[in-house]
């Protein structure tokens, strides 16, 4: 299990989702990806919806107004 970070602050969809998908392709089951984003649709809808469809476990928290951290465990 290895932890990776992906900073997509300042980016908007669809780039946010594509960046997460591309990074996940590089990882192995059990790895953890921590994504930092300031794009509300990506944090609250686009990325979580995609992760659910693909069966990955995740937790999204609001770090401060306008900044989210999504912790993804690769399945």
């Amino acid at each position: 299990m290895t932890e990776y970070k992906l900073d997509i602050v300042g980016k908007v969809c669809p780039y946010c989702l594509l960046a997460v998908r591309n990074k996940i392709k590089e990882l192995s089951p059990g790895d953890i990806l921590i994504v930092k984003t300031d794009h509300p649709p990506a944090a609250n809808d686009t990325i979580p919806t995609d992760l659910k469809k693909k069966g990955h476990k995740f937790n999204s928290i609001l770090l401060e107004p306008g900044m989210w951290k999504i912790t993804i465990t690769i399945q």
Side-chain angles (χ1 to χ4, degrees):
M1 175 185 88
T2 307
E3 185 174 292
Y4 298 88
K5 296 183 190 260
L6 180 62
D7 186 339
I8 52 174
V9 173
K11 307 296 184 189
V12 296
C13 286
Y15 176 83
C16 295
L17 179 59
L18 294 174
V20 171
R21 282 181 176 173
N22 287 337
K23 187 65 180 176
I24 286 174
K25 287 179 188 176
E26 301 172 10
L27 307 181
S28 300
D31 286 346
I32 295 172
L33 177 61
I34 297 174
V35 179
K36 187 175 179 184
T37 183
D38 62 349
H39 188 56
N44 299 310
D45 182 38
T46 311
I47 294 171
T49 299
D50 193 63
L51 294 171
K52 285 178 192 173
K53 286 180 185 176
K54 295 192 169 35
H56 299 296
K57 295 181 183 177
F58 69 95
N59 181 33
S60 180
I61 61 168
L62 182 64
L63 297 173
E64 59 186 64
M67 188 67 63
W68 289 264
K69 177 175 88 168
I70 306 170
T71 304
I72 305 164
T73 303
I74 308 305
Q75 299 299 304

